């Protein structure tokens, strides 16, 4: 059977279709959904993500406001700024771009952010709520984008063996929780996993989120597996994933491309959370 390419554009455009009437409805009530991006420093991958969010915001009619700070900004000033955003009724969502400069303490910024505006599950209150399955928390956008792709292409999760490579708070850990919530049996691999290939070969759904170009090779694939590549690696001016796409493609039943896969859906998921946050202000 031919391998299905799980393109992100199709998923993003379906999400657009569903979000547009909700945004129009908010605007008719005088509410203009707005996301504030707090970007500290000059990380290239964060810059490219911001570009994607702005583009998606323009297409959808969601205001995206960039607040850019130099890398040597004092923690106390960032906290004050976040407190001001907390108080601003026009701002419905705030995302703090990762990675942060090493001298900035992530937890102490997350503690300031109001959970209702924490649309990317940055602060520990929302992390706790998310882990407990509390619907008030917005799931982190990238893992949720993986779930949106699986849902869009009717890929069943329940009862299947899922393997996630990577255990960060941004992708690996929360994604494992979402797959678990979908009733998959989940293995999480990381840089200390002793036999990565053996674990990966058990996967019906294999997700690579390691940030290691070409880590997943064909010997790691169970024939017919669904392969999701979250990795973004810059190489010779191009974006590459964690999966050796050409070698893995013939074995997989379905595979996401890089670029054009998860990265295309993530900004729309983030804006969907902003819309939901704005709707919650109406509902009270
Ligand atoms: P991270 O560096 O915080 O975590 C990487 C994880 O992978 C770690 O848990 C580490 O143990 C594991 N790992 C690294 N090398 C490994 C190896 N050789 N074998 C097994 N495990 C290994 O990175 P992150 O923030 O979780 O991001 C992961 C990747 O996803 C990066 O390439 C990042 O750019 C990409 N990303 C993509 C999107 C998107 O929207 N597409 C969003 C966020 C991150």
């Amino acid at each position: 059977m031919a391998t299905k390419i799980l393109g992100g554009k199709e998923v993003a455009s379906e999400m657009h279709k569903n979000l547009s009437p909700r945004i129009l409805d908010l605007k008719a009530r005088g509410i203009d959904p707005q996301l504030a991006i707090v970007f500290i420093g000059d990380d290239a991958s964060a810059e490219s993500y911001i570009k994607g969010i702005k583009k998606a915001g323009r297409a959808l009619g969601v205001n995206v406001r960039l607040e850019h700070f130099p890398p040597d900004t004092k923690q106390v000033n960032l906290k004050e700024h976040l407190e001001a955003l907390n108080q601003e009724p026009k701002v419905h969502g705030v995302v703090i771009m990762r990675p942060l400069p090493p001298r900035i303490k992530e937890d102490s910024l997350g503690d300031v952010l109001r959970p209702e505006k924490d649309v990317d599950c940055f602060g520990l209150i929302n992390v706790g709520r998310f882990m407990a399955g509390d619907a008030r928390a917005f799931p982190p956008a990238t893992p949720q984008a993986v779930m949106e792709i699986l849902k869009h292409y009717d890929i069943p999760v329940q009862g299947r063996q899922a393997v996630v490579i990577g255990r960060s708070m941004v992708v690996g850990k929360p994604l494992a929780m979402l797959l678990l919530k979908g009733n998959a049996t989940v293995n999480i691999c990381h840089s200390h996993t002793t036999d990565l290939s053996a674990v990966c070969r058990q996967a019906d759904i294999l997700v690579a989120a390691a940030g290691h170009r070409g880590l997943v090779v064909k010997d790691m694939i169970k024939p017919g597996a669904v392969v999701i590549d979250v990795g973004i690696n810059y190489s010779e001016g191009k974006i590459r994933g964690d999966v050796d796409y050409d070698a893995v493609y013939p074995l997989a039943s379905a595979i996401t491309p890089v670029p054009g896969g998860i990265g295309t859906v993530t900004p729309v998921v983030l804006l969907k959370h902003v819309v939901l946050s704005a709707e919650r202000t109406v509902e009270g």
Side-chain angles (χ1 to χ4, degrees):
M1 211 174 74
T3 307
K4 172 99 185 144
I5 297 174
L6 309 174
K9 215 169 166 184
E10 193 180 311
V11 183
S13 101
E14 171 88 19
M15 289 175 73
H16 271 223
K17 251 192 257 159
N18 294 332
L19 281 172
S20 287
R22 289 169 58 183
I23 295 165
L24 287 176
D25 188 46
L26 281 166
K27 291 193 177 185
R29 293 160 182 245
I31 297 163
D32 228 350
Q34 182 171 136
L35 171 72
I37 301 176
V38 176
F39 178 34
I40 310 142
D42 50 15
D43 180 79
S45 61
E47 268 173 4
S48 131
Y49 184 28
I50 291 167
K51 243 194 229 167
I53 300 169
K54 282 181 160 177
K55 190 174 163 200
R58 277 194 302 274
L60 270 170
V62 173
N63 285 323
V64 176
R65 173 170 134 191
L66 177 62
E67 319 249 335
H68 196 176
F69 297 89
D72 56 355
T73 307
K74 287 201 175 99
Q75 185 103 11
V76 63
N77 295 345
L78 291 168
K79 280 179 154 188
E80 278 168 15
H81 190 76
L82 287 174
E83 268 154 10
L85 289 173
N86 279 344
Q87 300 308 321
E88 239 189 89
K90 280 185 173 171
V91 174
H92 303 98
V94 178
V95 61
I96 303 169
M97 281 291 129
R98 288 167 164 132
L100 290 164
R103 42 173 294 283
I104 304 288
K105 292 188 192 74
E106 190 165 308
D107 285 354
S108 79
L109 289 190
D111 287 347
V112 177
L113 196 54
R114 255 177 67 186
E116 301 79 29
K117 295 192 179 189
D118 180 11
V119 286
D120 199 23
C121 207
F122 192 96
L124 292 182
I125 293 178
N126 272 351
V127 170
R129 284 176 176 168
F130 168 71
M131 292 294 287
D134 183 321
R136 283 175 297 175
F138 301 99
T142 305
Q144 185 61 36
V146 173
M147 300 309 288
E148 294 282 354
I149 285 201
L150 293 173
K151 188 175 87 182
H152 178 90
Y153 289 104
D154 288 326
I155 294 170
V157 171
Q158 179 156 309
R160 302 184 91 189
Q161 291 282 341
V163 172
V164 178
I165 311 175
R167 59 172 166 181
S168 76
M169 288 304 290
V170 182
V171 193
K173 259 189 229 175
L175 177 58
M177 286 303 120
L178 289 172
L179 290 163
L180 190 63
K181 196 175 162 205
N183 296 323
T185 302
V186 187
N187 267 314
I188 307 175
C189 297
H190 45 81
S191 45
H192 295 275
T193 299
T194 45
D195 192 345
L196 184 64
S197 297
V199 185
C200 290
R201 274 197 300 272
Q202 295 171 20
D204 301 312
I205 300 171
L206 176 62
V207 186
H212 183 141
R213 185 185 165 190
L215 174 68
V216 175
V217 295
K218 70 173 194 213
D219 294 349
M220 296 176 169
I221 307 297
K222 174 174 165 178
V226 173
V227 180
I228 308 285
D229 193 350
V230 180
I232 295 179
N233 307 291
Y234 294 92
S235 168
E236 294 150 12
K238 289 187 175 151
I239 294 178
R240 302 275 186 231
D242 286 356
V243 176
D244 181 355
Y245 186 90
D246 292 341
V248 165
Y249 175 90
L251 277 172
S253 61
I255 188 165
T256 57
V258 178
I262 302 299
T264 313
V265 181
T266 304
V268 190
V269 170
L270 193 65
L271 297 177
K272 182 178 165 182
H273 294 172
V274 176
V275 171
L276 183 57
S277 171
E279 287 169 342
R280 285 176 178 172
T281 64
V282 186
E283 289 153 14

